Amino acid sequence: MTTEHSLSAADAAADVPDFFERLPGIDERRILRQVIDAVPAGVFWKDIDSRFLGANEAFLKLLGVDSMEDALGHNDHDYFPSEMAREFRAMDRHVMDTGEAIVEFEEFVISPDGTVDVLHTTKAPLRDELGAVVGVVGGFRKVTSAVKIEEALLRSQERYALVAEASRDGIWDWDRGTDVIELSPRCAELLGLPGSATKMMSSDVIARFGPDQATEIGRRAGEVFRSQSVPIDATASIDLEDGSRRWVQIVGAPLVRDGRVERIVGSLADISDDIERERDLEHRATHDGLTGLQNRWSLNQSIERVLAGDRAASVLYLDLDHFKVVNDSLGHHVGDEMLEAVARRLTSVAGGSSATLARVGGDEFAVLCDGPDPEASERLAELIVREFVAPFEIAGLEMYSSVSIGVVHVADAHRTAADVMRDADTCLYRAKAAGKSCHRVFEPSMRDDADSALSHQNLVRRAVETMQFALHYQPIRDARSGAMVGVEALIRWPGEDGEHLEPSAFLPFLEQTGLIVRVGEWVLATACRQLARWREAAPGAADLYVAVNLSQIQFRSERLVDDMVAVMADAGVSPADVVVEVTETAVASDPEAVSAQLSRLRSLGVRIAIDDFGVGQSSLSTLDRLPADILKLDRSLVANLRGSEPAPVTTGVITMAHALGLVTIAEGIESEDQREWLQRAGCDFMQGYFFARPMPPEQVLDLLT
Ligand code: C2E
Ligand code: MG
Ligand code: MG
């Protein structure tokens, strides 16, 4: 509704056209508006259903709204206690029904902001041009003063009852002479007393708050009785019979007669919701929203407290080994479910009274074990690793995510929580580098060689600059003849101690920084040159192919295919001798672009293998859309194969791959049992420690000759 409408109603009510006729050239409505707003009293008009049509500024102020737009179409129920709104409405009805004005009657009003006013109100019927009653127009004067309210309260029991009933808050009145407190029914209810308890000795009322708070409230009331001006404003709680706790705001002011505080009158408001909201906010600030465990901030606080109290404690820093795969291939929704399941399992294994569990990042968790027994926390780490080997059941799927753990015993060298977490991070990284699904205990020597994550990263950068990497090759064999048909090139980083670090220790960093593009090119070039060398040296290598893994980051380069073609040509190897392994996740990262690049490679003769299939188990349906030749069954589909036990998922994947014209390679075969099972199921090629571990190129040559 527009202001115009309101004004036309006002015109009808005002009925003073002659006045405007004497002011030609000035818009009447503008004048009328200004006149109405200039009146210090409240003016309003409502339609036949008592909905607000218009009002002046004084009235809008009483409602607590900024403009008429906000009040338009609302009624008294939207602003005043319901008992009170009903009274107003009854009065409107009376005026409209009788067609007669009521002049200057006294009303109590409790505004939305809680202030109590006494008004002298006039209401008159609002009529249209034909004289029919279409609403009500009203005006009021505030006659409020402390004295007025006080008098009204003291004199009129009836009015007192109205205010008390109308208010959502409880009203109480403490008589100093008798020491009796009179309670409104609502007040009794809030105190957990029967509604009939309307008069009680002050000590009995105050006792509702429990001994400690009662003493304090009694003291404050004593102060108010002694000095005339101090009001009460306090928060207190009442323990209810059903075991719940109610929080109330107690407000009270002295009523002074003849220079003496005669009584204290006040209200009691239920603020449990506010307090709960506050607690909820506090909980949210200190807890992880997904798992309900503590968050990183609050874990740090706990560690700081341990350090401040000089207490013995250990921190277990956990990282899920394969979470990224689950999250990327099955989506965040399933990823979240997985994290919740992880939190539940962690709680059931480690959630003792002396342990604080926290989720500190995406798939990182921590356990703070309070206590002087370092071995106990190491045993706990071991137990957690063991418990995480079992699959999680999520969205009807069995999913695996082992966990790696770094254990730090809080020591003198730790001055801040950050010191502790840095050491935890260092040895977590050690656990990952040692092949995952295990724990490592921090030793100060680790700090020296991996002083910070930074130095590790710097080492990787330096390794890329001088390409200090090596390739190991793992044979892939024909399931029936056992002949070696190809090798998969797997990158290694030769450490200073002669040990080779596995890709999980440095690939993530290479991917994050994009360095993988350069390294990937080096891998392809090295593998192709190696294949050419084997062929020169051994006739058995004539039909051998080499498989290289491609990271999804590499597909972001538009030059990828051209560069690969050049590298193969340079090494003297035909595209038909090369297999490119990509994961579904890599394809899913940008399905159109990646598929297009794979199609181009394929048209050149390069074969495409979908790697690690079955980790997500999600995309059976999208598989036929991928430009692929080979499906590599992930280790998790092989690990549980035993004897002649049925494994419907594994069987299903092989059958379906064949139906789609794909050749199958099983990865991670570690036993004769598994080999036999897969052969029976019709799997075409095999790869795994059972046949051979990834090995340096000289050893492959031994196998070929
Ligand atoms: P992948 O492509 O699935 O490679 C197979 C992984 O399984 C290798 O781990 C291999 O050592 C391991 N493996 C083979 N047989 C068995 C077995 O019987 N049992 C067990 N438990 N493991 C077995 P690795 O070398 O640590 O490589 C891990 C992953 O790193 C690879 O998984 C691949 O995704 C990635 N990667 C390796 N080299 C490269 C590379 O040059 N470029 C890129 N972009 N990624 C690479
Ligand atoms: Mg691979
Ligand atoms: Mg694989």
Side-chain angles (χ1 to χ4, degrees):
M1 230 177 280
T2 62
T3 350
E4 228 169 89
H5 186 122
S6 319
L7 283 173
S8 63
D11 274 344
D15 199 26
V16 283
D18 298 345
F19 175 75
F20 293 111
E21 275 167 16
R22 277 184 275 135
L23 287 163
I26 301 177
D27 180 40
E28 310 179 346
R29 288 180 174 170
R30 184 181 294 275
I31 295 175
L32 183 56
R33 176 88 255 164
Q34 288 175 26
V35 170
I36 293 172
D37 276 341
V39 176
V43 176
F44 59 87
W45 49 103
K46 302 169 168 177
D47 69 11
I48 198 101
D49 294 314
S50 287
R51 286 187 297 247
F52 293 118
L53 290 173
N56 71 346
E57 278 172 12
F59 184 76
L60 295 177
K61 202 165 150 214
L62 181 88
L63 290 187
V65 300
D66 293 332
S67 82
M68 190 55 221
E69 309 258 294
D70 298 331
L72 211 59
H74 289 278
N75 62 37
D76 289 310
H77 280 280
D78 298 320
Y79 301 97
F80 302 106
S82 59
E83 189 63 32
M84 204 163 262
R86 265 199 294 279
E87 289 274 327
F88 295 159
R89 168 86 175 124
M91 202 63 96
D92 292 348
R93 273 255 65 91
H94 178 78
V95 169
M96 289 188 280
D97 288 350
T98 60
E100 280 172 23
I102 312 180
V103 181
E104 293 266 303
F105 60 98
E106 198 164 282
E107 290 187 305
F108 262 101
V109 57
I110 302 175
S111 297
D113 69 359
T115 52
V116 177
D117 283 305
V118 177
L119 309 177
H120 283 181
T121 305
T122 296
K123 284 184 180 174
L126 176 63
R127 294 178 189 279
D128 66 11
E129 275 127 55
L130 302 174
V133 174
V134 293
V136 59
V137 54
F140 59 77
R141 260 177 329 116
K142 275 193 197 178
V143 290
T144 313
S145 70
V147 175
K148 189 82 194 170
I149 295 178
E150 189 182 314
E151 277 176 1
L153 278 172
L154 288 171
R155 260 182 316 182
S156 165
Q157 278 303 324
E158 224 171 275
R159 221 160 248 164
Y160 170 83
L162 171 66
V163 174
E165 265 169 47
S167 172
R168 273 191 309 118
D169 303 342
I171 306 282
W172 51 268
D173 181 349
W174 182 343
D175 186 326
R176 185 180 197 174
T178 58
D179 215 9
V180 165
I181 299 184
E182 215 170 303
L183 306 167
S184 72
R186 174 70 178 145
C187 192
E189 187 194 330
L190 287 174
L191 289 166
L193 295 164
S196 56
T198 49
K199 280 189 180 170
M200 288 176 76
M201 291 308 292
S202 66
S203 54
D204 293 339
V205 175
I206 295 177
R208 299 294 304 152
F209 295 98
D212 292 350
Q213 299 185 102
T215 311
E216 176 61 17
I217 293 168
R219 193 188 61 74
R220 298 274 277 277
E223 236 170 66
V224 177
F225 278 126
R226 270 191 307 279
S227 77
Q228 303 178 4
S229 52
V230 201
I232 300 178
D233 190 349
T235 302
S237 65
I238 303 146
D239 289 324
L240 302 175
E241 248 167 39
D242 63 4
S244 66
R245 175 165 289 184
R246 172 176 295 144
W247 289 91
V248 290
Q249 182 85 23
I250 309 169
V251 177
L255 294 185
V256 183
R257 278 276 143 124
D258 307 326
R260 184 174 175 275
V261 177
E262 193 173 69
R263 55 215 305 135
I264 309 175
V265 179
S267 64
L268 198 69
D270 187 346
I271 53 163
S272 304
D273 286 350
D274 295 341
I275 297 269
E276 214 152 89
R277 218 170 297 131
E278 235 168 73
R279 300 230 156 145
D280 186 48
L281 277 178
E282 190 184 312
H283 183 87
R284 270 189 268 168
T286 53
H287 288 73
D288 168 46
L290 182 64
T291 61
L293 301 181
Q294 295 196 7
N295 60 17
R296 177 186 281 273
W297 181 82
S298 116
L299 174 77
N300 278 346
Q301 297 296 104
S302 302
I303 297 175
E304 295 288 0
R305 276 195 295 277
V306 164
L307 294 171
D310 227 352
R311 301 203 308 268
S314 308
V315 173
L316 277 54
Y317 192 16
L318 291 75
D319 185 280
L320 299 181
D321 292 332
H322 302 293
F323 178 71
K324 203 172 149 10
V325 180
V326 173
N327 207 43
D328 290 353
S329 61
L330 294 183
H332 294 294
H333 181 65
V334 176
D336 283 355
E337 270 186 54
M338 178 95 178
L339 291 171
E340 286 172 274
V342 163
R344 279 195 298 276
R345 188 171 295 179
L346 192 60
T347 308
S348 78
V349 182
S353 57
S354 63
T356 305
L357 307 189
R359 176 171 171 231
V360 292
D363 61 344
E364 291 168 14
F365 294 81
V367 182
L368 171 65
C369 302
D370 234 325
D373 185 358
E375 271 157 33
S377 51
E378 288 168 33
R379 278 197 302 276
L380 178 62
E382 214 175 287
L383 181 67
I384 295 172
V385 168
R386 232 182 303 134
E387 290 290 326
F388 273 70
V389 171
F392 290 90
E393 208 170 294
I394 284 144
L397 302 171
E398 278 204 343
M399 301 217 255
Y400 293 84
S401 189
S402 54
V403 66
S404 302
I405 307 181
V407 182
V408 176
H409 303 306
V410 175
D412 292 342
H414 297 127
R415 298 224 309 281
T416 65
D419 291 345
V420 177
M421 291 311 281
R422 197 196 46 230
D423 285 350
D425 188 52
T426 301
C427 70
L428 170 63
Y429 154 70
R430 286 302 183 103
K432 291 249 170 207
K436 302 180 177 173
S437 195
C438 64
H439 79 277
R440 284 289 178 271
V441 180
F442 180 77
E443 291 162 23
S445 65
M446 291 182 185
R447 206 180 286 140
D448 303 335
D449 37 65
D451 207 351
S452 65
L454 254 183
S455 82
H456 168 65
Q457 294 177 357
N458 286 337
L459 283 178
V460 179
R461 277 182 202 281
R462 212 157 343 120
V464 174
E465 266 164 39
T466 50
M467 277 304 166
Q468 289 159 17
F469 297 102
L471 289 185
H472 280 187
Y473 300 86
Q474 187 175 31
I476 297 166
R477 297 191 176 272
D478 185 297
R480 274 165 296 269
S481 69
M484 180 160 68
V485 294
V487 289
E488 177 176 4
L490 295 160
I491 192 164
R492 296 289 179 265
W493 184 15
E496 273 142 36
D497 45 5
E499 217 187 318
H500 283 91
L501 283 181
E502 299 199 350
S504 56
F506 55 90
L507 263 186
F509 178 71
L510 291 181
E511 292 191 328
Q512 278 160 30
T513 52
L515 289 169
I516 188 67
V517 173
R518 269 169 70 194
V519 174
E521 205 168 296
W522 173 86
V523 168
L524 179 66
T526 308
C528 287
R529 277 200 297 269
Q530 187 57 56
L531 181 63
R533 236 173 279 149
W534 283 324
R535 285 194 173 159
E536 260 170 43
D543 295 327
L544 196 72
Y545 74 78
V546 67
V548 293
N549 293 281
L550 252 61
S551 154
Q552 71 181 65
I553 310 294
Q554 292 174 262
F555 287 96
R556 295 198 191 147
S557 159
E558 281 173 13
R559 299 203 330 260
L560 175 73
V561 177
D562 294 331
D563 288 350
M564 288 180 70
V565 168
V567 165
M568 290 184 280
D570 207 40
V573 162
S574 139
D577 299 326
V578 174
V579 168
V580 159
E581 298 196 359
V582 289
T583 61
E584 300 164 84
T585 318
V587 182
S589 67
D590 186 358
E592 271 175 36
V594 176
S595 295
Q597 282 163 311
L598 291 177
S599 296
R600 252 194 85 202
L601 281 171
R602 230 176 140 218
S603 68
L604 294 166
V606 174
R607 278 168 291 166
I608 311 295
I610 303 300
D611 204 355
D612 301 342
F613 190 84
V615 174
Q617 300 186 352
S618 63
S619 22
L620 294 177
S621 55
T622 58
L623 202 57
D624 62 334
R625 272 180 258 149
L626 296 181
D629 306 275
I630 301 167
L631 190 74
K632 295 191 78 172
L633 275 66
D634 186 68
R635 216 155 70 215
S636 59
L637 292 182
V638 171
N640 293 324
L641 304 178
R642 246 176 298 277
S644 55
E645 273 175 37
V649 177
T650 311
T651 312
V653 170
I654 294 172
T655 311
M656 182 213 42
H658 287 159
L660 293 172
L662 299 171
V663 162
T664 49
I665 302 179
E667 294 186 289
I669 298 167
E670 295 185 354
S671 70
E672 167 60 18
D673 220 18
Q674 292 165 348
R675 189 203 63 76
E676 217 181 285
W677 196 105
L678 286 159
Q679 194 182 22
R680 234 181 302 121
C683 182
D684 306 291
F685 298 96
M686 308 204 170
Q687 180 182 357
Y689 293 170
F690 175 70
F691 302 102
R693 290 189 173 246
M695 57 183 80
E698 316 80 73
Q699 288 182 26
V700 176
L701 189 62
D702 291 344
L703 291 177
L704 286 167
T705 46

